[in-house]
Amino acid sequence: MAKVFDSITPDLAKFIQEQKLFFVATAPLSPDTHINLSPKGFDTFRIISPQKVGYLDLTGSGNETSAHLQENGRITLMFCAFQGTPLILRLYGKGHVILPNTPAWGEYSSLFPDLPGTRQIIIADIHRVQTSCGFGVPLYEYQQQRQALVEWAEKKGETGIKQYHQQKNMTSIDGLATPLSQFVGEEDGN
């Protein structure tokens, strides 16, 4: 039932673009640490080329993906059909983080909407694309995107978001540094 591809085909790209939700999985190298799996919403995912994707990462309670990518680069992205024909699609790759105060930000930021609480962009070079049946995934009907995250970020404001990054997003739950920790103070010009 599973099929493997070297890159994202036009049919798979169409499937990705139709999804309202995707999942991101990363893990540190140590077996005594935690694997991370995060759901992502909003219009934040982009196919840059058949072997390169990216997503706009919004501020959240943790920053595990960023820390894991800095340590080893491994990333898996998963899409599931919750409506229509069943399908699961996984993209396996090596990822890296692009922060707003870095030269690459200008190259990629224009691909994404301007959302409050934007933290970073995650870019992944894909080396394996795999589909599976998805027969066990239940059917769900999409209603709308929750606005709680955007409202929270708007209420915090730019200064509040920077403070939140410093308090909650500098290390992973296992103590691994995130790329944000390299730029403490630089955001404010210090």
Side-chain angles (χ1 to χ4, degrees), residues 17-37:
Q17 292 162 350
E18 292 170 349
Q19 304 315 303
K20 305 292 186 198
L21 170 70
F22 64 98
F23 301 87
V24 178
T26 58
L29 294 176
S30 171
D32 298 325
T33 53
H34 297 84
I35 296 169
N36 185 62
L37 176 61

Side-chain angles (χ1 to χ4, degrees), residues 26-93:
T26 58
L29 294 176
S30 171
D32 298 325
T33 53
H34 297 84
I35 296 169
N36 185 62
L37 176 61
S38 295
K40 304 291 180 185
F42 294 99
D43 178 28
T44 57
F45 191 87
R46 297 293 181 269
I47 300 168
I48 299 166
S49 76
Q51 291 183 304
K52 185 184 290 261
V53 299
Y55 72 89
L56 185 68
D57 185 59
L58 304 177
T59 299
S61 56
N63 199 5
E64 302 304 300
T65 300
S66 179
H68 298 166
L69 292 180
Q70 181 166 267
E71 184 197 44
N72 62 61
R74 297 178 305 162
I75 188 168
T76 301
L77 301 122
M78 185 179 77
F79 299 83
C80 297
F82 293 107
Q83 297 177 338
T85 304
L87 182 66
I88 297 171
L89 170 64
R90 290 179 181 89
L91 305 175
Y92 298 90

Side-chain angles (χ1 to χ4, degrees), residues 28-169:
L29 294 176
S30 171
D32 298 325
T33 53
H34 297 84
I35 296 169
N36 185 62
L37 176 61
S38 295
K40 304 291 180 185
F42 294 99
D43 178 28
T44 57
F45 191 87
R46 297 293 181 269
I47 300 168
I48 299 166
S49 76
Q51 291 183 304
K52 185 184 290 261
V53 299
Y55 72 89
L56 185 68
D57 185 59
L58 304 177
T59 299
S61 56
N63 199 5
E64 302 304 300
T65 300
S66 179
H68 298 166
L69 292 180
Q70 181 166 267
E71 184 197 44
N72 62 61
R74 297 178 305 162
I75 188 168
T76 301
L77 301 122
M78 185 179 77
F79 299 83
C80 297
F82 293 107
Q83 297 177 338
T85 304
L87 182 66
I88 297 171
L89 170 64
R90 290 179 181 89
L91 305 175
Y92 298 90
K94 289 286 188 179
H96 64 277
V97 176
I98 297 174
L99 297 174
N101 54 354
T102 60
W105 184 262
E107 179 182 349
Y108 292 104
S109 63
S110 64
L111 300 174
F112 302 98
D114 184 21
L115 292 171
T118 292
R119 179 170 52 191
Q120 57 209 355
I121 296 171
I122 306 295
I123 299 294
D125 294 307
I126 304 304
H127 60 261
R128 181 184 178 98
V129 177
Q130 182 176 320
T131 62
S132 56
C133 67
F135 292 169
V137 176
L139 291 169
Y140 282 98
E141 186 175 326
Y142 176 77
Q143 293 179 9
Q144 65 185 18
Q145 179 62 54
R146 295 177 198 252
Q147 294 303 307
L149 186 62
V150 168
E151 291 166 359
W152 172 84
E154 286 174 339
K155 186 176 179 183
K156 280 224 170 276
E158 192 173 324
T159 300
I161 291 292
K162 287 179 182 178
Q163 290 171 345
Y164 189 87
H165 288 170
Q166 290 177 356
Q167 294 168 357
K168 305 269 188 182
N169 290 171

